[in-house]
Amino acid sequence: AGTGSTMALFLARPEVKAAVEAFIAKGGLIVGINAGFHALMKTGLLPYGEYRDNNDAILATNLYGEFKAQMVTTEVVNNASPWFSNAQIGEQHVLPFAALEGRLVITDALFETLKANGQIATQYVDHKGRATLDATFNPAVSQHAIEALTSPNGQILGKMAHSERYEAGLFLNMPGNKQQSIFENAVAHVTTSQQ
């Protein structure tokens, strides 16, 4: 989380913090992928949707202490956020994962809150579509198989797998849907809200 820590320091600068808070207040969307997810967690923007000094959730070193780079399958478990507005519950995506520190660690109480608020956007699933803590499918062994979280209002998204690495013609040897349309959904949301 070296890069994530540096990003978090930048996000915590008073002038940047004020700009981010104003952006959120007017409905702006924010995404953090991998190190960006770390930065959002370190500031409290995730999972709380606001700056906080203390966070009951962290992204820690992968359970077995190794850098992992592989394709993972994630499943959409909540589509209330603008980022997943066109996704179907149960929709799966095969995405690249590459991280040393991608293991979400949260308390059971926070898990229940996140679940009740619909903030758990996607989970790692196995070949049978079951949420899993098996490192074969959840390489960091992220608690509760969580791959992506949103803020309570859904404007802020943090995720570990690299949706931005998809381009037509890539990963042709991998079966499954590799195109997760979070960016298209964000553009559609912003375009609609500006009309």
Side-chain angles (χ1 to χ4, degrees), residues 62 68-72 95-99 102 124 139-140 160-162 165:
N62 298 344
K68 295 285 188 168
Q70 66 184 70
M71 298 298 279
V72 296
L95 305 168
F97 175 99
Y124 298 99
M160 283 307 302
H162 290 278
R165 291 188 182 175

Side-chain angles (χ1 to χ4, degrees), residues 5-182:
S5 296
T6 303
M7 289 180 194
L9 288 172
F10 177 77
L11 287 171
R13 292 180 55 93
E15 66 276 20
V16 174
K17 180 179 176 184
V20 168
E21 289 173 332
F23 183 70
I24 293 169
K26 56 182 202 181
L29 300 179
I30 298 172
V31 64
I33 299 174
N34 201 304
F37 190 6
H38 278 267
L40 294 172
M41 296 283 287
K42 287 178 178 290
T43 59
L45 289 167
L46 282 176
Y48 306 108
E50 62 188 19
Y51 281 88
R52 288 200 182 177
D53 292 331
N54 296 316
N55 196 339
D56 292 331
I58 62 167
L59 283 167
T61 301
N62 298 344
L63 186 62
Y64 299 112
E66 300 172 329
F67 177 88
K68 295 285 188 168
Q70 66 184 70
M71 298 298 279
V72 296
T73 302
T74 66
E75 183 171 293
V76 176
V77 293
N78 190 296
N79 60 359
S81 166
W83 294 100
F84 289 94
S85 60
N86 289 330
Q88 300 298 315
I89 301 297
E91 185 175 319
Q92 294 182 358
H93 302 99
V94 178
L95 305 168
F97 175 99
L100 172 62
E101 298 172 323
R103 180 170 55 103
L104 181 69
V105 179
I106 58 175
T107 64
D108 289 338
L110 181 57
F111 169 70
E112 292 302 330
T113 299
L114 296 173
K115 188 175 171 185
N117 289 346
Q119 291 179 249
I120 300 169
T122 62
Q123 291 179 294
Y124 298 99
V125 295
D126 64 17
H127 63 283
K128 292 186 177 178
R130 301 171 297 198
T132 183
L133 297 179
D134 182 336
T136 304
F137 307 99
N138 175 352
V141 191
S142 186
Q143 287 184 333
H144 305 283
I146 297 170
E147 186 267 331
L149 289 176
T150 65
S151 58
N153 64 10
Q155 288 174 240
I156 305 170
L157 168 66
K159 65 189 314 297
M160 283 307 302
H162 290 278
S163 308
E164 82 284 7
R165 291 188 182 175
Y166 172 78
E167 186 174 316
L170 294 181
F171 312 120
L172 295 177
N173 61 330
M174 301 294 300
N177 177 14
K178 277 86 64 182
Q179 186 174 6
Q180 188 177 59
S181 58
I182 58 173

